[in-house]
Amino acid sequence: MIFTRVRKYPLPLTKEAFMNRLAGKHIKIHDLDFEVYDQETLLKIAPHTEYLDEIKTLPITDVDVVTEGNQNKVVLTSKIRVIDYGGPLLIMLFCAFLFAAALVLFLLGGEPHITYLLFGASFLVFGAFWVRMQRGYFDYVRKLENFVKTQVQVS
């Protein structure tokens, strides 16, 4: 979906060494603790939200190591938590309906002021939503990717 991000990085380490390097680590982003835990064949990075008072849209990141040819690659898949998915989806649907109503009014030759107002409202609401997602959800995703990238580097 639109909130899922997949990134691949070359891995100079073996799969076991990389998994051992990351397993059990904690990362703090915006005063929120994320823990890396082992789940069968891959690692998951999940937020600890038990002490969170405000509503935030947070990612869960899967970290997997795949072999392509003779080279290992780290595959990061960040997706929105299921519990957080409803709010952004409703806002996107609201913007889509506003835009569709404006388009219908435009094609039917309706009142130009109302048509332009609906177009502007749909873009304004979507723009504010997207900026908030970039400063929140996608910022968490970027910082988790940077954390994994630093762990990939051989020291």
Side-chain angles (χ1 to χ4, degrees):
M1 183 69 192
I2 193 168
F3 302 114
T4 301
R5 296 289 185 257
V6 178
R7 301 280 192 256
K8 291 183 181 182
Y9 304 107
L11 179 65
L13 303 170
T14 65
K15 180 177 181 174
E16 293 78 23
F18 175 70
M19 295 288 200
N20 290 336
R21 182 182 276 195
L22 241 81
K25 288 212 173 180
H26 289 263
I27 179 173
K28 205 152 198 60
I29 302 173
H30 301 297
D31 296 326
L32 186 61
D33 184 44
F34 284 80
E35 181 182 2
V36 181
Y37 62 93
D38 194 8
Q39 188 180 39
E40 297 178 15
T41 61
L42 57 94
L43 298 173
K44 283 200 175 281
I45 304 175
H48 286 285
T49 58
E50 54 268 2
Y51 303 113
L52 192 62
D53 293 335
E54 54 209 60
I55 297 173
K56 291 188 177 193
T57 305
L58 299 169
I60 291 183
T61 303
D62 295 337
V63 181
D64 196 11
V65 177
V66 296
T67 303
E68 292 180 358
N70 59 354
Q71 184 181 14
N72 289 334
K73 289 194 175 196
V74 176
V75 179
L76 292 175
T77 306
S78 295
K79 54 189 175 280
I80 199 167
R81 294 185 314 165
V82 175
I83 195 168
D84 296 335
Y85 193 70
L89 184 63
L90 282 175
I91 293 172
M92 288 181 55
L93 286 173
F94 177 72
C95 291
F97 282 131
L98 274 178
F99 185 80
L103 192 61
V104 166
L105 283 176
F106 181 75
L107 293 176
L108 293 178
E111 181 67 33
H113 297 312
I114 294 175
T115 304
Y116 298 143
L117 180 70
L118 288 177
F119 272 128
S122 69
F123 287 120
L124 183 70
V125 169
F126 185 77
F129 163 71
W130 199 252
V131 166
R132 183 168 164 88
M133 290 296 285
Q134 287 296 327
R135 294 178 78 196
Y137 173 77
F138 290 116
D139 189 41
Y140 286 112
V141 171
R142 284 188 297 272
K143 289 185 177 171
L144 288 172
E145 287 175 3
N146 288 338
F147 169 72
V148 173
K149 267 196 226 179
T150 59
Q151 297 301 314
V152 166
Q153 297 171 353
V154 178
S155 47

